[in-house]
């Protein structure tokens, strides 16, 4: 059920796989059955007045079609393929959201810094987990659970203040959007490095945080 890929050049040695469109149900079931990740359905986009609106109904929604639909979303999350089928059968257009702090944590950096760090890590053959890119021009690096809690101390040990870098960490009680989730009219979340058997074992945050922090510090878009 993995997405069909056709690689296109992006930056240095980094190539982003071009993926065929998949239904949210297909991807949610794949994440649950093949990766044993927990998934839960979020909001979705609804057409109206010549545009698309978030199903939450808020005209000023900050992430249209790509955020939890209910406050108790954590209780709804499932790592069962049959459970995912039941959830998306009721809401077939719902976004696919992944809880963090359970099977993985996520290090979140600007897209420009992420591609720079990714190219360097690939040249050095640093083991990597899945990597996603959002329409908001952010890159999400999947690491072992506990990475979010370690991140501030690791950044300080490298000589930077955590508040000085545009590097966020999603851990316990958090979540991230997963492909094929669409965010308003900005586009869809996509895999830069798709979940495969080869990256089933996630890296320790120490292995990827140093190049990510360095790339964030060198990012020309950094305020």
């Amino acid at each position: 059920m993995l997405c069909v890929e056709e690689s296109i050049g992006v930056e240095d040695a980094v190539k982003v796989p071009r993926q065929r469109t998949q239904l949210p149900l297909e991807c949610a079931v794949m994440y649950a059955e093949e990766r044993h990740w927990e998934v839960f359905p979020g909001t979705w986009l609804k057409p109206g007045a010549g545009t698309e609106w978030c199903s939450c109904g808020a005209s000023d929604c900050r992430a249209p079609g790509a955020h939890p639909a209910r406050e108790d979303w954590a209780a709804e999350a499932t790592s069962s393929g049959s459970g995912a089928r039941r959830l998306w059968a009721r809401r077939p257009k719902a976004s696919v959201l992944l809880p963090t702090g359970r099977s993985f944590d996520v290090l979140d950096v600007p897209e420009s810094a992420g591609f720079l760090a990714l190219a360097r890590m690939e040249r050095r053959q640093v083991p990597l987990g899945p990597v996603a890119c959002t329409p908001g021009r952010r890159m999400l690096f999947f690491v072992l659970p506990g990475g979010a809690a370690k991140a501030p101390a690791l950044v300080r040990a490298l000589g930077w203040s955590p508040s000085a870098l545009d590097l966020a960490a999603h851990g316990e009680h958090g979540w991230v959007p997963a492909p094929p989730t669409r965010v308003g009219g900005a586009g869809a979340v996509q895999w830069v490095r798709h979940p495969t058997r080869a990256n089933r074992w996630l890296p320790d945050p120490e292995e990827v945080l140093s190049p990510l922090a360095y790339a964030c510090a060198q990012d020309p878009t950094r305020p």
Side-chain angles (χ1 to χ4, degrees):
M1 292 183 65
L2 298 182
C3 296
V4 176
E5 300 180 355
E6 178 185 345
S7 294
I8 55 176
V10 175
E11 182 167 322
D12 295 333
V14 176
K15 295 182 183 294
V16 176
R18 185 178 297 158
Q19 299 153 23
R20 71 174 178 85
T21 301
Q22 287 187 300
L23 296 173
L25 171 61
E26 290 181 301
C27 289
V29 171
M30 186 272 283
Y31 301 144
E33 291 187 340
E34 297 186 17
R35 295 295 292 211
H36 306 294
W37 288 348
E38 290 187 72
V39 298
F40 68 98
T43 55
W44 61 92
L45 295 173
K46 301 171 67 174
T51 185
E52 291 181 304
W53 302 87
C54 186
S55 62
C56 73
S59 59
D60 60 346
C61 181
R62 297 179 62 183
H67 63 84
R70 42 192 282 183
E71 292 186 4
D72 62 340
W73 58 264
E76 191 176 36
T78 178
S79 59
S80 159
S82 59
R85 289 185 181 91
R86 285 194 299 271
L87 290 172
W88 270 269
R90 297 196 296 266
R91 286 162 277 178
K93 295 182 180 180
S95 53
V96 180
L97 307 180
L98 308 175
T100 52
R102 301 183 183 189
S103 299
F104 54 81
D105 280 2
V106 168
L107 301 178
D108 175 339
V109 299
E111 182 182 274
S112 52
F115 276 120
L116 176 62
L118 185 57
R120 287 175 174 163
M121 287 188 280
E122 289 188 334
R123 285 196 297 269
R124 297 173 185 174
Q125 298 184 330
V126 174
L128 289 167
V131 181
C133 191
T134 76
R137 304 187 70 82
R138 306 290 298 184
M139 286 185 70
L140 309 177
F141 289 76
F142 286 57
V143 297
L144 286 172
K150 295 179 181 178
L154 291 173
V155 169
R156 283 191 289 269
L158 292 167
W160 286 291
S161 166
S163 61
L165 299 181
D166 188 3
L167 191 159
H170 305 279
E172 192 174 359
H173 308 305
W175 57 271
V176 293
T181 296
R182 292 173 56 220
V183 186
V189 182
Q190 298 187 58
W191 289 115
V192 178
R193 290 293 175 266
H194 202 289
T196 66
R197 291 184 178 86
N199 60 23
R200 182 173 295 278
W201 302 107
L202 298 176
D204 194 280
E206 286 94 336
E207 296 179 83
V208 299
L209 200 138
S210 177
L212 287 177
Y214 178 81
C216 287
Q218 300 299 314
D219 187 359
T221 65
R222 180 185 176 195

